[in-house]
Amino acid sequence: FRDMTGLEELSIDGGQHDLDDGIMAGCIPALAACKGMRKLNLIFLNLSTRSCAALSAVFPRMTALQELNLDCNIIGNVGAEVLVRGLADCKHLHSLRLQFNEIGDDGLAMLIQGLPTSVDTLDLTGNEITLARQLPLLKFKVLILSYNTLSTGGPGIIAASLANPECRLEVLHLFSANIGDGGVAVVAESLRSNQRLTQLTFDDENITERGWNPFF
């Protein structure tokens, strides 16, 4: 990539290759030349802490970056913290996808605290988010928490954010997130004071007619 300074979009899918965190950490610095990068997809590459550190060093040079997809790696909470440090200067970044990356509540807290305000879409499908402690879900317009096993208190954390007048959420996906009748009722009640949310997705696996009634 040394001479590809004008490269704006790059997609690498390592699903068919035997790559590891060390190999990728050695390759990633070459991306530093791609200062015009707008869309970067690095999926199924076993990216972990070392690769995240390498990316964090490269991101400050990608000031035009708008979309980042790191789905299906093993970033974890520590990797999320490292990534955030590098992304802080990506002021045009608006979409971050981190599906299936073993990220828990600590990692989510780091993302909430450290991502630039330009990021309005965060996809954390299939991680280890439980919302077992207070986390303000206020700064994103689109938040996807599907296929996470939320704790019994998780719906209350969501409801508290939706009822907050500073909440920017417009789209919230909670498909297959371990939410039953009681959790749905808690979330539904919070919508009485929310004027922004336009899309809310549950699934009906654990929700009966009693759970849906508060929406009608």
Side-chain angles (χ1 to χ4, degrees), residues 69-134:
N69 179 353
L70 300 176
D71 288 348
C72 303
N73 288 292
I74 44 177
I75 288 171
N77 292 330
V78 175
E81 180 179 4
V82 174
L83 281 175
V84 161
R85 291 200 293 266
L87 290 172
D89 292 326
C90 294
K91 304 300 185 183
H92 296 287
L93 183 68
H94 64 80
S95 176
L96 176 59
R97 292 179 45 142
L98 294 168
Q99 294 186 6
F100 301 99
N101 263 295
E102 303 178 10
I103 295 171
D105 288 355
D106 288 345
L108 174 56
M110 293 295 176
L111 294 166
I112 291 171
Q113 181 178 355
L115 286 174
T117 56
S118 59
V119 177
D120 54 30
T121 298
L122 178 62
D123 186 349
L124 289 170
T125 298
N127 278 281
E128 298 174 2
I129 307 298
T130 65
L131 298 182
R133 59 187 174 91
Q134 188 66 44

Side-chain angles (χ1 to χ4, degrees), residues 28-88:
I28 287 169
L31 294 174
C34 305
K35 297 180 180 180
M37 188 74 70
R38 296 180 182 272
K39 187 174 182 179
L40 180 61
N41 303 309
L42 301 174
I43 63 177
F44 284 110
L45 294 170
N46 289 317
L47 304 182
S48 192
T49 307
R50 293 172 63 187
S51 297
C52 288
L55 283 169
S56 187
V58 167
F59 285 146
R61 302 191 183 192
M62 294 183 179
T63 55
L65 189 64
Q66 298 176 2
E67 299 179 34
L68 178 61
N69 179 353
L70 300 176
D71 288 348
C72 303
N73 288 292
I74 44 177
I75 288 171
N77 292 330
V78 175
E81 180 179 4
V82 174
L83 281 175
V84 161
R85 291 200 293 266
L87 290 172

Side-chain angles (χ1 to χ4, degrees), residues 174-188:
L174 298 168
F175 188 85
S176 194
N178 194 40
I179 298 178
D181 288 345
V184 169
V186 169
V187 174

